[in-house]
Amino acid sequence: MNAYSNETDRQRNTAGLAAWENEGGASARDFADRQYGRRVEADRSWTVYHVFSGIPALIDGGAMTGLSRSDATRSMLSLNHRNAERRRARLAAPPIVPQAAAGQS
């Protein structure tokens, strides 16, 4: 390998790592828990968005746009953590048995 190849690989790895971090990195253990990512916009502000639809996240009726990087990171991690907690609670809850089936033996 030469110095040019090493530098190209380093640049490629840096770009890949930046994209990975913007998508939420490894903060959640399960893909289903990582429904929100962050992205930098053309005006250099940050947006928290739903990764499957690309639509900006809404909190209390306001779109999560025009944020600083740290606010976007904090909001993204909070939303993903909240989703993970809700998912764990659903999985831990006992199954709902319809009334008609409950009386039959």
Side-chain angles (χ1 to χ4, degrees):
M1 282 193 168
N2 59 33
Y4 177 77
S5 177
N6 287 341
E7 183 61 28
T8 302
D9 288 343
R10 193 172 302 122
Q11 290 170 344
R12 189 177 310 120
N13 291 341
T14 300
L17 181 59
W20 177 75
E21 286 178 336
N22 285 340
E23 295 299 324
S27 61
R29 295 189 330 220
D30 186 2
F31 181 72
D33 296 334
R34 293 177 293 185
Q35 293 194 11
Y36 294 94
R38 65 181 180 167
R39 66 180 175 228
V40 65
E41 303 293 350
D43 66 356
R44 302 185 57 84
S45 69
W46 289 78
T47 297
V48 176
Y49 69 101
H50 187 257
V51 296
F52 301 112
S53 67
I55 297 171
L58 296 175
I59 294 183
D60 296 328
M64 300 296 297
T65 59
L67 304 171
S68 68
R69 181 178 178 171
S70 60
D71 287 341
T73 300
R74 190 173 21 261
S75 297
M76 175 192 68
L77 293 173
S78 175
L79 286 168
N80 286 333
H81 179 72
R82 186 176 69 182
N83 282 347
E85 290 298 318
R86 274 195 259 166
R87 187 166 182 265
R88 276 192 281 280
R90 269 195 318 258
L91 292 174
I96 299 172
V97 179
Q99 292 263 346
Q104 297 174 359
S105 296

